[in-house]
């Protein structure tokens, strides 16, 4: 039967030929007679567009999809109607579907990675715009003749949603319990559905990640990941079965690629990758290794007959190699220190970090999120090749920074559970015993196993604490120091090495504190280091440290003066948190360390601030590798200021949120603090992020020369709501003041005679201040106080809002003053909390509650780097993302 549309004209499109047909309609090749170009017309099924409410929803979705502008997404030119015919005009792609490219054997690894990265990039752009595909499958992906990928039909799967009770009545189960069956509407193509789609549950971007995993599996193997004799049996397979790994199915692929695939195809959305751009980055890293020739495939097992023939040859070769090695060692005297041999111990796509070695060198413990439930847990594994890791902790909060006891029988670690603390447990699993409660990190056993040293980070001043393993009262070391951190035991257990400064803004050095109470001794290490480093271990009169590579620094055993540092590694990677044990002779060490990558990007969370209701998942604003922190928005949301870190140092940028145009205001070799004024016209900043630095300068957000506002103020914190004053912090204990931009007049607004105030945020009407009060001892919390004559009310009138165990920081207000937001670790991870308030008295209404938990490897950060930037219906903040694996050097 001839097609009635062939040769016809729909509005200004002349239909030339029929290209194909699917559940979403018929596709034609047509000519745009206005612009004289060839296009693809998708004529939509009349029954899908008959219902007015469905048609309105579809038009809204299609308009959103047409706004996508990405090289890997087919461009939608317009949606239109000619009489009773609804159609989409789209870019015409010359090429073939991915289904045709895959064939029966799958794709070569290089092609698979090339196409998969482009598909992931397209999904990243769509998800950032709030669009979920819902029907990702090989026939919805085109491959051009040049090898470029184009993804089709974004948003069109919403056409398959049920439109009426009559249609819903054809289903065999109630809506809340049904799988989508042959009798009902199928939201997406069955074989590529996510489990939540198959169950008729609500879907989000993670559903596309599952479908992407199914697509990736087919690209690798040439077979569908899930299949059955009918739609129902296919759905059953999706809900119940795990597809055979490609290697088991006869398609050997790199193990890291199998891990990525497995994580995409996890049944529970919370255990998958949470963001498709994480998948893209992991695939890009694999492609780089593949292109460079460093990526190896697992070797298939040899047949028995072939193995029998190869074995004698291999044995002969092995004998020859051993003989040559022996001859070389006898010929060449070993009069130089041996170089380190590196070996990777873990192969995770997420965050596996902070390793520690058992004293006998047989076990390594570390923190990892490989379990997929969002947090870090403590894991332990043998150093032998092919050994399996054992998961020791299973708390929802982060467990991290493990360290072995001298006899190897116990592990001490930090935890974010129940407000934070230090815990001890058997090395191979068992009861986890709390030792200290609070913000304690970097725990280490003393060489005799009787004590644990750690850092108290709960207040504005960091302290070194030593506590008996028995659990008796702790005592402080170097208590007079303003900040002392990262304690390391000396080999004899009589001293502690730490990094510290004696006063606010003072110079940091490495210090040695004797436990007998003698004054700490300065080592002078910063003067001899190439760049600042983090101390890690003290062995054989050397200190192991890292500055991105591994080094060791000799310390004089008599006066602890630093000698000349010795480089141990010279790679370009970020090698951090190393730990070492002696390898049997002086100067010979066995070292484990984490090889990590991290970045900070700005994310926007859509939220009704007055109702304390999150409206959608956050989206990343800018997709590149530049670190961005300390965001601030103009009151109308039109301008966004932030601090960035590029290849040449730090700087300040202002972004027009409507056009995405950016202006670089200034650049600096060191980090900065900066805040954009409420009207978006001015940025106030400190030239450095140093506590001792007191200069505040102003610069127009459009660019130009800076002017100095104050020489002796302090660190920029925020603006007053009307933009006439700048709020800054200074002094020890830390206090808050304002300076009038027009006159330079200063007023102290908030102070405590003994303890530091770490936050001061005006309410929108300027009549209240929210603060974070951090005494050195006692409870820490979020408070609200009224403002009288320009100053905060006295402490006895402060209204407590959050005093649970944990760290609570960075408060900010809703526009109507009825909700206060803040960051808290009360439930382990750093989450965004809210507290509803009586608008008149600011007394709390009900209990505080969590409104947003970062997922996957993303973590919110405290301090000036967090911001947040507050807009009319959004907050913008940085999320720090990290990935890492453990390596051994010996």
């Amino acid at each position: 039967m001839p097609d009635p549309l062939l040769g016809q004209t729909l509005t200004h499109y002349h239909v030339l030929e029929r290209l194909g047909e699917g559940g979403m309609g018929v596709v034609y090749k047509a000519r745009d007679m206005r612009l004289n170009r060839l296009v693809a017309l998708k004529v939509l099924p009349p029954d899908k567009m008959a219902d007015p409410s469905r048609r309105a929803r579809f038009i809204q979705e299609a308009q959103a999809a047409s706004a996508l502008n990405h090289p890997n997404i087919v461009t939608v030119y317009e949606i239109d109607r000619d009489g009773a015919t609804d159609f989409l005009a789209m870019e015409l792609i010359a090429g073939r579907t991915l289904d045709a490219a895959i064939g029966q054997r799958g794709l070569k690894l290089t092609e698979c990675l090339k196409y998969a990265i482009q598909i992931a990039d397209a999904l990243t752009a769509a998800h950032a715009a709030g669009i979920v595909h819902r029907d990702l499958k090989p026939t919805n992906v085109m491959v051009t003749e040049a090898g470029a990928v184009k993804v089709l039909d974004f948003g069109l799967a919403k056409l398959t949603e049920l439109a009426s009770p009559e249609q819903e009545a054809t289903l065999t189960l109630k809506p809340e319990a049904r799988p989508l069956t042959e009798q009902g509407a199928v939201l997406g193509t069955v074989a590529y559905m996510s489990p939540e789609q198959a169950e008729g549950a609500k879907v989000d971007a993670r559903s596309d990640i599952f479908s992407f995993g199914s697509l990736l599996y087919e690209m690798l193997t040439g077979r569908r990941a899930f299949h059955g004799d009918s739609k129902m049996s296919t759905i059953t397979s999706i809900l119940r079965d795990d597809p055979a790994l490609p290697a088991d199915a006869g398609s050997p692929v790199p193990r890291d690629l199998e891990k990525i695939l497995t994580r995409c195809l996890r049944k529970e959305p919370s255990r998958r990758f949470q963001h498709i751009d994480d998948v893209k980055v992991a695939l890009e890293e694999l492609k780089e290794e593949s292109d460079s020739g460093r990526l190896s495939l697992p070797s298939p097992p040899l047949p028995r007959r072939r193995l029998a023939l190869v074995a004698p040859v291999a044995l002969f070769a092995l004998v020859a190699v051993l003989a040559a090695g022996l001859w070389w060692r006898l010929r060449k005297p070993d009069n130089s220190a041996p170089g380190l041999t590196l070996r990777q111990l873990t192969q995770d796509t997420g965050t596996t970090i902070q390793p520690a070695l058992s004293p006998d060198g047989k076990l390594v413990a570390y923190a990892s999120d490989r379990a997929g439930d969002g947090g870090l847990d403590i894991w332990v594994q043998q150093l032998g090749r092919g050994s399996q890791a054992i998961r020791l902790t299973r708390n929802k909060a982060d467990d991290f920074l493990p360290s072995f006891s001298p006899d190897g029988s116990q592990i001490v670690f930090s935890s974010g559970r129940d407000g934070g603390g230090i815990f001890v447990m058997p090395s191979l699993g068992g009861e986890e015993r709390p030792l200290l409660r609070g913000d304690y990190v970097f725990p280490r056993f003393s060489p005799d196993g009787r004590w644990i040293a750690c850092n108290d980070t709960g207040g504005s001043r960091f302290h070194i604490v030593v506590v008996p393993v028995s659990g008796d009262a702790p005592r402080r070391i170097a208590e007079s120091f303003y900040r002392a951190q990262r304690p390391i035991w000396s080999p004899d257990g009589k001293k502690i090495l730490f990094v510290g400064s004696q006063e606010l803004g003072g110079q940091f050095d490495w210090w040695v504190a004797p436990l007998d109470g003698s004054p700490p001794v300065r080592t002078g290490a910063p003067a001899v280091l190439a760049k600042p480093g983090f101390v890690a271990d003290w062995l054989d009169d050397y200190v192991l440290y890292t500055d991105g590579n591994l080094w060791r620094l000799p310390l004089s055993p008599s006066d602890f003066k630093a000698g000349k540092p010795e480089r141990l590694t010279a790679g370009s990677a970020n090698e951090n948190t190393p730990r070492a044990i002696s390898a049997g002779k002086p100067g010979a060490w066995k070292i484990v360390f984490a090889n990590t990558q991290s970045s900070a990007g700005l994310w926007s969370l859509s939220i009704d601030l007055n109702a304390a209701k999150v409206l959608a998942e956050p989206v990343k604003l800018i997709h590149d590798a530049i670190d961005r922190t300390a965001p601030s928005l103009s009151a109308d949301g039109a301008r966004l200021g932030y601090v960035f870190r590029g290849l040449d140092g730090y700087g300040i940028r202002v972004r027009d949120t409507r056009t995405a145009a950016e202006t670089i205001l200034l650049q600096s070799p060191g980090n900065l603090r900066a805040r954009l004024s409420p009207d978006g016209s001015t940025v106030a900043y400190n030239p450095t992020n140093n506590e001792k630095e007191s200069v505040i300068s102003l610069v127009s957000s459009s660019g130009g020369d800076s002017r100095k506002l104050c020489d002796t103020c302090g660190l920029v914190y925020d603006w007053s709501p009307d933009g006439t004053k700048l709020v800054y912090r200074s002094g020890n204990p830390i206090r808050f003041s304002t300076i009038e931009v027009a006159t330079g007049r200063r007023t102290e607004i908030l102070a405590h005679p003994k303890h530091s105030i770490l936050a001061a945020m005006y309410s929108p009407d300027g009549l209240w201040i929210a603060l974070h009060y951090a005494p050195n001892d006692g409870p820490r919390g979020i408070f609200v106080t009224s403002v009288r004559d320009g100053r905060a009310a006295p402490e006895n009138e402060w209204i407590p809002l959050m005093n649970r165990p944990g760290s609570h920081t960075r408060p900010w207000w809703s526009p109507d003053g009825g909700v206060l937001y803040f960051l808290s670790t009360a439930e382990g991870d750093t989450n965004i909390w809210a507290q509803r308030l009586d608008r008149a008295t600011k007394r709390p209404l009900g209990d505080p509650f969590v409104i947003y938990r970062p997922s996957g490897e993303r973590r919110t950060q405290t301090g000036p780097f967090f911001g947040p930037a507050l807009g009319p219906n959004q907050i913008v903040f940085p999320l720090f993302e990290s990935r890492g694996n453990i390596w051994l050097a010996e």
Side-chain angles (χ1 to χ4, degrees), residues 69-74 117-119 121-122 148-152 154:
N69 183 15
H70 191 277
N72 299 121
I73 296 176
V74 169
I117 289 169
Q118 294 180 70
I119 296 168
D121 203 23
V149 161
K150 296 280 188 174
V151 183
L152 290 71
F154 273 99

Side-chain angles (χ1 to χ4, degrees), residues 262-332:
T262 300
R263 193 166 175 186
C264 287
L265 290 175
R266 283 175 175 158
K267 307 298 185 187
E268 302 84 0
S270 63
R271 297 192 63 208
R272 288 176 214 147
F273 285 100
Q274 299 296 292
H275 301 270
I276 190 66
D277 56 337
D278 292 337
V279 183
K280 185 190 78 168
V281 170
L283 291 172
E284 286 173 335
E285 291 174 352
L286 280 179
K287 187 175 185 299
E288 289 174 3
E289 293 186 32
S290 176
D291 293 345
S292 66
R294 292 179 283 123
L295 186 64
S296 60
L297 295 175
S299 301
L302 293 172
R304 289 184 177 271
R305 176 173 174 79
R306 185 180 173 195
L307 184 61
L309 294 173
V310 170
V313 179
L315 180 60
F316 178 83
L318 177 61
V319 171
V321 170
L322 291 175
L326 178 61
W327 173 81
W328 177 258
R329 289 185 62 84
L330 293 174
R331 173 182 178 275
K332 185 175 188 292

Side-chain angles (χ1 to χ4, degrees), residues 530-560:
K531 56 182 179 179
F534 297 99
V535 296
D537 257 324
W538 188 352
L539 289 81
D540 307 324
D541 296 326
Y542 284 86
V543 174
L544 174 67
Y545 73 94
T546 176
D547 64 0
N549 291 134
L550 306 186
W551 297 72
R552 61 183 178 186
L553 181 77
L555 286 186
S556 168
S558 58
D559 59 6
F560 309 118

